[in-house]
Amino acid sequence: MESSRTFSRRRRPLIVGNWKMNGLIESAVDMGEALRQGFDERNTSCEVVVCPPFTALHALHQQLGESSVKLGAQNVFCEEFGPYTGEICGIMLRNVGCRYVILGHSERRTLFGENHSLIVRKTMSSFRDGLQPIVCIGESLEQREKGETLVVLQEQLLPVLKALADQRERWVQLVVAYEPVWAIGTGKVASTDQIQEVHYYLRGLLKEHFDEDASQRVRILYGGSVKPDNAAAIFALPDVDGGLIGSASLQSKEFLAIIDALPAVD
Ligand code: PEP
């Protein structure tokens, strides 16, 4: 679908691929090469980030080289170094080329018990360590059916906004990803009305807790079963600034087709 929307220069479109726990080094490098070539040929002004498993970060960093495809991690721990068996800190992620980190993904919240306060600590430590946090929020199907969507999203996002209240220089670096839990990996995408309603509401929260300028500059991504055939309609929405892509980011052809669905930047 062709989109008539052009992106405002104030928010550079962003597409993030979350590979989750998929891929070995060899396949990650192959995928990185396909994306590097595909993205660099396109000459688009959007920003593209791939978030492979930790084990593939170093190899992918070497392989992406000077490409404009950036690297992100799927999680981080909030301490700097020390006795935290099994954890990885932000400085280590920077060391293997990461620029972004996904925080508070619903799988981390539900399967690994991450709560609001841990996500706030991780957001603050990511900034401290020079990583841009992509903070995921989203309601469950039950919460949506009970009409609680906006309240739940507010409960998830406000602690982060409050923690950043006196850190004005960081406001516009924050990326928010709205990911309805019922749409993640299910093939059930939220309707464009549902998505725009939420994104508009979130931008309002940003305005209330940051200011008008920051609210117009923070990027709000949609995630949840985005595919090449539905991406253009979602990205055409005025408060959607790109996508967080799960399963479709595992195939370079699909991922590149999603990038192609972004409206032009004016
Ligand atoms: C995700 O896990 O962040 C996600 C959006 O997954 P999918 O695109 O597969 O729904």
Side-chain angles (χ1 to χ4, degrees):
M1 180 184 134
E2 281 288 309
S3 164
S4 56
R5 177 185 172 205
T6 56
F7 263 96
S8 143
R9 276 184 206 285
R10 306 191 77 192
R11 299 196 295 270
R12 187 174 175 207
L14 172 63
I15 300 287
V16 181
N18 174 12
W19 295 1
K20 309 195 185 188
M21 198 173 72
N22 290 297
L24 300 178
I25 291 177
E26 296 73 16
S27 58
V29 166
D30 287 350
M31 178 71 174
E33 180 55 23
L35 292 181
R36 192 184 65 74
Q37 280 184 21
F39 185 67
D40 293 352
E41 272 162 15
R42 276 167 170 76
N43 192 23
T44 135
S45 52
C46 74
E47 205 175 353
V48 169
V49 177
V50 288
C51 303
F54 289 134
T55 48
L57 282 169
H58 179 62
L60 208 50
H61 179 44
Q62 305 274 3
Q63 196 268 340
L64 287 173
E66 295 303 304
S67 156
S68 18
V69 177
K70 294 177 184 158
L71 265 188
Q74 299 172 22
N75 186 26
V76 69
F77 191 54
C78 39
E79 297 298 336
E80 282 187 88
F81 289 103
Y84 304 100
T85 303
E87 294 295 332
I88 303 273
C89 68
I91 299 167
M92 293 169 178
L93 294 179
R94 284 298 305 261
N95 193 230
V96 287
C98 288
R99 309 277 288 276
Y100 285 87
V101 60
I102 298 171
L103 299 177
H105 189 281
S106 73
E107 286 152 16
R108 301 248 22 121
R109 292 179 192 261
T110 54
L111 302 175
F112 301 98
E114 293 201 3
N115 59 24
H116 302 332
S117 84
L118 182 61
I119 292 159
V120 168
R121 287 170 62 209
K122 290 186 174 193
T123 304
M124 304 314 278
S125 70
S126 298
F127 277 125
R128 176 196 68 208
D129 296 335
L131 294 165
Q132 268 188 263
I134 301 166
V135 176
C136 303
I137 56 175
E139 81 288 1
S140 65
L141 187 56
E142 192 188 351
Q143 289 163 333
R144 176 160 282 275
E145 284 173 352
K146 283 192 191 152
E148 296 171 356
T149 299
L150 301 183
V151 175
V152 168
L153 297 175
Q154 185 187 43
E155 278 167 10
Q156 293 174 348
L157 188 59
L158 271 198
V160 171
L161 302 188
K162 285 185 175 160
L164 286 169
D166 60 356
Q167 308 204 7
R168 181 171 274 272
E169 71 287 358
R170 289 177 167 162
W171 291 352
V172 299
Q173 310 265 313
L174 179 70
V175 177
V176 178
Y178 167 53
E179 298 208 301
V181 177
W182 47 273
I184 296 179
T186 59
K188 283 188 206 154
V189 66
S191 73
T192 49
D193 284 350
Q194 288 170 329
I195 298 170
Q196 175 54 26
E197 181 199 23
V198 165
H199 281 233
Y200 178 80
Y201 172 74
L202 297 176
R203 211 170 289 292
L205 277 186
L206 291 165
K207 183 174 167 188
E208 213 177 292
H209 291 271
F210 291 168
D211 63 16
E212 166 70 26
D213 178 64
S215 75
Q216 292 304 319
R217 291 170 63 198
V218 171
R219 289 172 296 180
I220 308 177
L221 311 182
Y222 169 78
S225 297
V226 177
K227 305 281 182 249
D229 61 356
N230 59 27
I234 295 169
F235 297 158
L237 298 169
D239 286 298
V240 174
D241 306 309
L244 178 50
I245 318 298
S247 48
S249 71
L250 294 171
Q251 304 291 335
S252 57
K253 228 172 131 188
E254 288 208 1
F255 193 56
L256 289 166
I258 288 172
I259 294 170
D260 289 338
L262 282 167
V265 177
D266 63 14

